[in-house]
Amino acid sequence: MRLEGKTAIVTGGGSGFGAGIVQRFTEQGAKVLVADINAEAAEAVAAEHGGVAQQVDVADGASVTAMAAKAIEALGHVDILVNNAGITHVPTPMEEVDEAEFDRVFAVNCKSVYLTARALVPHFKERGQGNILNMASTAGVSPRPRLNWYNASKGWMITATKAMAIELASEGIRVNALNPVMGQTGLIGRFLGDDTPERREAIISTIPLGRFSTPDDLAMAAVYLCSDEASLVTGVCMEVDGGRCI
C-alpha cells in the first residue's frame, strides 16, 4: 500500500500505459480519477478499479479545467498528476507530415502539460505539496528516423520536466518523467507504420533486454516515483527501456 491515502489523476487512463498505471495505483491504495478523450474507455477502467471517470481533451483548456475541478470535487484534493495522454504521427519523412497533424502532436504531447500545470499547480502550491509525473519517451533521448516531430515533442517533455522540477521544488512539488521504449499498447501500430512480425523483430533487436515495454513495466516505475519512497527524487527522466538508450 505504497500510495495509501493518495489521490491521483491519470490522463490517457482508458488504455495502454495509463490503464496499467491506474490499476497499480489503486492496488497500492490510491483513489484515481481516470481521464481520457474516450469517455467509454475511462468509465470502463474506472469501474474496474473503483475510480472516477472523466472525459477530457488534454489539448483544450476548458476541458482540462473541468477535469481538475471534477477531481478536486470527487477526491477532495489531488496529490498526484500523471500526464500520460499522448499521440504520434505514423513514420513519415519529416517534410511530409502535414501541418494539422504536426499541430495535433504538439497540442496533445506538449500543450497539455502547460494546461494541466495551469489547472493544478495552484492547487498543489496551496497545499504545499504535489507530485507530477510526465510520460516522455526514449524517442526524446535517442530518436528513431521518420518519427521526427514525435521525437521532438518528447524531447520537449524531458526539458519541461526538468524546468518544472527546478521551479516547483521550493513549493514542495516534485516533477519527474518516464522514458519508455516502444510498448505493447494501442499506439504500436502507428509507431511501426508497417506492423508486421518482421518489423517488430527489427525494433526488438535494438532493445538489449529483447522485448517491448508493457503497461505494468511503466506502472511499477510510476508507483515508485509517485510514492514517498522517492521523496528526494525530482527532475529525473527514468528510462524504462530494456537498455535501448545505453
Side-chain angles (χ1 to χ4, degrees), residues 133 161-162 165 175-178 225 233-238:
L133 182 65
T161 296
K162 293 176 181 293
V175 188
N176 293 293
L178 294 173
L225 287 175
V233 179
T234 196
V236 165
C237 300
M238 181 187 289

Side-chain angles (χ1 to χ4, degrees), residues 99-119:
E99 186 174 356
E101 188 163 37
F102 173 92
D103 287 345
R104 185 63 179 162
V105 167
F106 274 79
V108 173
N109 292 1
C110 302
K111 182 183 178 182
S112 62
V113 179
Y114 154 72
L115 292 174
T116 57
R118 187 178 69 173

Side-chain angles (χ1 to χ4, degrees), residues 81-83 109-121 124-125 130-135 156-177 234-237:
L81 165 65
V82 181
N83 285 311
N109 292 1
C110 302
K111 182 183 178 182
S112 62
V113 179
Y114 154 72
L115 292 174
T116 57
R118 187 178 69 173
L120 284 159
V121 164
F124 291 153
K125 286 183 174 180
N131 198 324
I132 300 172
L133 182 65
N134 296 324
M135 192 63 71
W156 182 98
M157 181 75 92
I158 290 168
T159 300
T161 296
K162 293 176 181 293
M164 294 168 75
I166 198 65
E167 179 169 336
L168 297 175
S170 63
E171 302 284 351
I173 302 166
R174 296 191 297 113
V175 188
N176 293 293
T234 196
V236 165
C237 300

Side-chain angles (χ1 to χ4, degrees), residues 54-67:
Q54 176 72 12
Q55 194 277 336
V56 67
D57 178 353
V58 294
D60 179 80
S63 185
V64 170
T65 298
M67 175 193 73

